[in-house]
Amino acid sequence: MTRCIYPMPEWLEESKKLYDSSFEKKLQKISGHYAYRIKAEPSWGIDKDLFQCSIMDAGKLIEMRFYTEEEAVKEADFIMAASAPVWKNILTKTDKFVAAFMARRIKLDKGNPVKALALGPYAGTMVDSLTQVELVFPDDLSPEEFGQFKAAFAEYRERAGV
Amino acid sequence: MKIKGAVLREANRPLTIETLELEPPGQGEVLVKYVHTAFCHSDLHFLLGEMGELVPYPFVVGHETAGVVEEVGPRVTRVEKGDHVTATWMIPCGRCPQCQRGRGTICTGNLWTLSAGQLPSGATRMTDKDGGLVFYQTFVSGFATHMVIPEEGAIVLPKELPLDQACFMGCCVPTGWGSITKKAQIQPGDSVAVFGMGGVGLNTVRAAALSHANPVIAVDIEGSKEAIAREFGATQFINSSEEDPVERIRLETGGLPVEGLGFLGGGVDVVVEAIGDPGAHIQAYWCLAAGGKLVVPGIIPAGQEAPMQLTFMPLQEHSILGTLYGSISTDIDIPRYAHMAMTQDLKLDKLCTKHFKLEEINDVAEAMKRREIIGRWVCDLD
Ligand SMILES: [Zn+2]
Ligand SMILES: [Zn+2]
């Protein structure tokens, strides 16, 4: 199992590769352009907000990568915003998407809330598709590893313009 | 593993009996072989779309079930393989404001995953032949040969209790008993009327009778339900298709008919409306004595209204009290009801009036629509 650090781009690249037909079938009712805003968390090496986006068409994963804020605001049907620790809880299934959405731990920056909530029944499967790799989080890293991650992540953001 | 289940793909369409793939139990979950599941009026609400799209389609229906634990997932501590269990259709999260006030049946923490057709953990465990997700009806999905449920939703029952009676512990026994003992908090000698002689109504009548209520007046639109209502302890039966229950109850409890006002005095201390019908709701309210409580476990279909004239609500201190799952604590009270079923005459052997096969479920739904079901009809899932 590939080890990826959240939210390095390799995580999304690997998850996209591993997204197979069983996910396409389970998520066949999902279409749209979804953006997840990961709010800045400097202690995690995330100095400014990051936009994780995926385009779904009847369960097929057309695209999944990080966007610039301009791209996300212009193109996404939904933008769901939460702090990095909240997204960690969702991805580790210690919190549930619907519960977090209703309790406003996840806020909707763009889109129709009722339609966004319709994602709820499929959220667990979407999390499964994003956690097929061994996903570790910045607060799980040793100080040395965190230092390396922080530098690599800053370099990636600079290079990719996200 | 492959299981068989009754799937609702959209409202007002027949259920389809499908072979589904069920994942093994995850952490804190158990695999239960369902043996008997009863058809409750709330299932009909779901079939007719009267719950206002509470759960996403497609889902496996049913919520009044009993079975045997066949496998336990990692870190399960409360149940063991071989235990007889019922499955509860609400599971308190323990952390939300309602749970912290001891009102787990209206838990808002787990309500959101319930309404997403998931288990409280957010998991879904079923897929159909095309690999599409199939959702849970309220954490139970009883009309299936097997199901994965969280251990918190599996309440262990004594093995001496026959499983075709144990299934009633999942809904109609707690709802009926809780309506009387928890919500109405009835006292010996209180007068009671119960509208609707379905599974919940009959258990409400039984709870009232065993709590020494007097009289216990049963009201139903079908005269054919009189015998079973009396069997469960009704002292009077009113066929509301033939006579006005308000007039009869007010007159029999000492009320005086007054021109322009209806009645002065009379009425009963507690009325339980176990149908979920706007007309019955209004009639039930007008049967209340001064200080009386209208307790409402019956669910009025989404979109229907009950226009009420409430002038006397403050003047006579009438209360209208909704109750979900009898406002019980599932963990504490369901084992108590099961114990009572072993030691007192709850009449559960008289409640199951017919057994049916899963393939006959659409016929059972039609029979319930035509109000032909007396007692509870129970599906054999073997
Ligand atoms: Zn709760
Ligand atoms: Zn029920």
Side-chain angles (χ1 to χ4, degrees):
Chain A
M1 203 190 263
T2 317
R3 185 171 183 273
C4 297
I5 300 172
Y6 176 92
M8 287 293 279
E10 294 78 31
W11 164 50
L12 296 185
E13 285 158 18
E14 282 298 315
S15 297
K16 189 166 189 290
K17 272 187 230 159
L18 293 167
Y19 188 94
D20 64 12
S21 64
S22 75
F23 286 109
E24 288 181 5
K25 288 172 185 168
K26 284 181 178 175
L27 299 173
Q28 57 192 267
K29 291 191 180 170
I30 300 296
S31 293
H33 198 143
Y34 300 91
Y36 308 92
R37 178 187 197 128
I38 304 165
K39 289 198 198 151
E41 189 76 25
S43 67
W44 284 30
I46 304 169
D47 293 331
K48 59 181 172 95
D49 291 8
L50 182 66
F51 291 82
Q52 172 196 338
C53 295
S54 50
I55 302 175
M56 307 280 296
D57 181 21
K60 289 198 164 50
L61 183 59
I62 308 299
E63 187 168 27
M64 183 160 69
R65 62 179 174 85
F66 293 112
Y67 273 29
T68 63
E69 179 163 3
E70 294 69 38
E71 276 180 303
V73 169
K74 186 162 162 258
E75 292 175 27
D77 303 317
F78 305 93
I79 299 178
M80 288 169 262
S83 70
V86 165
W87 290 122
K88 177 183 177 176
N89 287 343
I90 299 288
L91 288 163
T92 53
K93 296 194 176 179
T94 45
D95 194 4
K96 280 93 62 175
F97 172 81
V98 266
F101 192 89
M102 293 308 294
R104 308 286 184 269
R105 290 191 289 280
I106 297 174
K107 291 203 180 70
L108 191 66
D109 284 355
K110 181 183 174 187
N112 175 324
V114 176
K115 285 184 182 162
L117 201 55
L119 205 61
Y122 303 92
T125 304
M126 292 172 106
V127 167
D128 288 340
S129 76
L130 288 165
T131 50
Q132 298 183 88
V133 297
E134 186 200 341
L135 187 60
V136 293
F137 294 81
D139 62 333
D140 299 324
L141 302 176
S142 67
E144 188 192 351
E145 205 180 5
F146 177 72
Q148 290 164 1
F149 153 74
K150 197 177 167 182
F153 186 56
E155 191 271 322
Y156 158 71
R157 292 193 80 169
E158 177 68 33
R159 177 163 42 84
V162 298
Chain B
M1 68 182 287
K2 298 266 187 262
I3 64 161
K4 203 163 65 168
V7 179
L8 185 65
R9 293 205 162 262
E10 63 184 281
N12 292 301
R13 290 275 293 275
L15 291 158
T16 46
I17 307 303
E18 301 185 21
T19 300
L20 304 170
E21 184 65 34
L22 181 68
E23 289 175 15
Q27 186 170 306
E29 295 172 352
V30 296
L31 171 70
V32 182
K33 174 171 178 26
Y34 287 162
V35 179
H36 293 290
T37 300
F39 198 94
C40 170
H41 200 263
S42 301
D43 295 320
L44 187 62
H45 280 314
F46 275 103
L47 265 53
L48 299 175
E50 292 175 345
M51 294 294 222
E53 313 278 306
L54 179 66
V55 174
Y57 300 110
F59 62 89
V60 173
V61 296
H63 65 280
E64 193 172 281
T65 190
V68 181
V69 174
E70 213 165 76
E71 194 185 325
V72 300
R75 297 202 200 163
V76 166
T77 55
R78 295 159 47 124
V79 294
E80 290 176 4
K81 188 176 171 182
D83 279 347
H84 286 197
V85 295
T86 189
T88 62
W89 51 258
M90 181 40 114
I91 298 173
C93 75
R95 293 181 305 275
C96 72
Q98 289 71 21
C99 282
Q100 300 217 348
R101 293 185 192 114
R103 301 184 67 181
T105 59
I106 50 166
C107 166
T108 48
N110 284 345
L111 177 63
W112 311 124
T113 51
L114 177 147
S115 62
Q118 302 165 335
L119 296 180
S121 64
T124 44
R125 294 277 175 246
M126 291 174 274
T127 45
D128 62 17
K129 68 172 180 1
D130 299 322
L133 287 178
V134 177
F135 298 103
Y136 283 87
Q137 177 186 316
T138 60
F139 307 142
V140 178
S141 287
F143 288 110
T145 52
H146 295 78
M147 197 53 58
V148 168
I149 60 171
E151 64 170 332
E152 291 86 358
I155 307 290
V156 179
L157 301 173
K159 289 190 172 128
E160 297 74 27
L161 184 64
L163 285 166
D164 63 352
Q165 297 173 35
C167 58
F168 304 135
M169 295 296 155
C171 183
C172 63
V173 168
T175 305
W177 274 82
S179 293
I180 286 293
T181 62
K182 305 277 181 185
K183 209 68 191 178
Q185 299 199 331
I186 206 160
Q187 301 299 312
D190 280 354
S191 50
V192 173
V194 183
F195 281 65
M197 288 299 106
V200 170
L202 288 168
N203 279 289
T204 307
V205 164
R206 192 75 196 130
L210 290 181
S211 306
H212 307 286
N214 187 50
V216 180
I217 303 167
V219 182
D220 200 284
I221 201 164
E222 293 290 335
S224 58
K225 304 218 174 139
E226 177 167 356
I228 195 166
R230 289 190 184 274
E231 170 85 50
F232 274 70
T235 56
Q236 277 111 305
F237 180 87
I238 299 173
N239 178 341
S240 56
S241 67
E242 288 178 354
E243 57 182 322
D244 177 4
V246 178
E247 188 176 322
R248 167 105 178 258
I249 287 173
R250 298 294 283 240
L251 285 175
E252 284 195 10
T253 50
L256 289 172
V258 176
E259 192 71 39
L261 266 180
F263 290 87
L264 272 184
V268 289
D269 300 310
V270 172
V271 185
V272 179
E273 204 285 82
I275 306 166
D277 174 76
H281 232 75
I282 296 165
Q283 286 183 327
Y285 176 75
W286 286 106
C287 293
L288 289 178
K293 298 172 189 169
L294 170 57
V295 175
V296 185
I299 298 163
I300 291 185
Q304 293 187 21
E305 292 176 3
M308 309 270 282
Q309 213 278 47
L310 295 172
T311 309
F312 288 96
M313 193 155 141
L315 296 176
Q316 302 230 303
E317 294 201 355
H318 291 149
S319 309
I320 302 178
L321 303 164
T323 179
L324 189 68
Y325 226 144
S327 310
I328 62 159
S329 157
T330 48
D331 261 2
I332 296 170
D333 293 307
I334 291 176
R336 287 184 182 176
Y337 298 134
H339 183 255
M340 278 168 53
M342 310 294 302
T343 55
Q344 294 183 47
D345 190 6
L346 298 195
K347 304 272 182 191
L348 299 185
D349 55 328
K350 303 287 194 311
L351 189 57
C352 171
T353 49
K354 188 174 173 174
H355 288 251
F356 67 92
K357 295 268 170 238
L358 190 57
E359 287 72 17
E360 298 168 321
I361 192 167
N362 287 306
D363 301 333
V364 175
E366 288 302 318
M368 185 170 272
K369 265 194 232 171
R370 295 192 299 265
R371 296 197 297 268
E372 287 170 5
I373 294 183
I374 294 172
R376 270 287 204 251
W377 290 5
V378 173
C379 183
D380 301 336
L381 291 154
D382 272 336

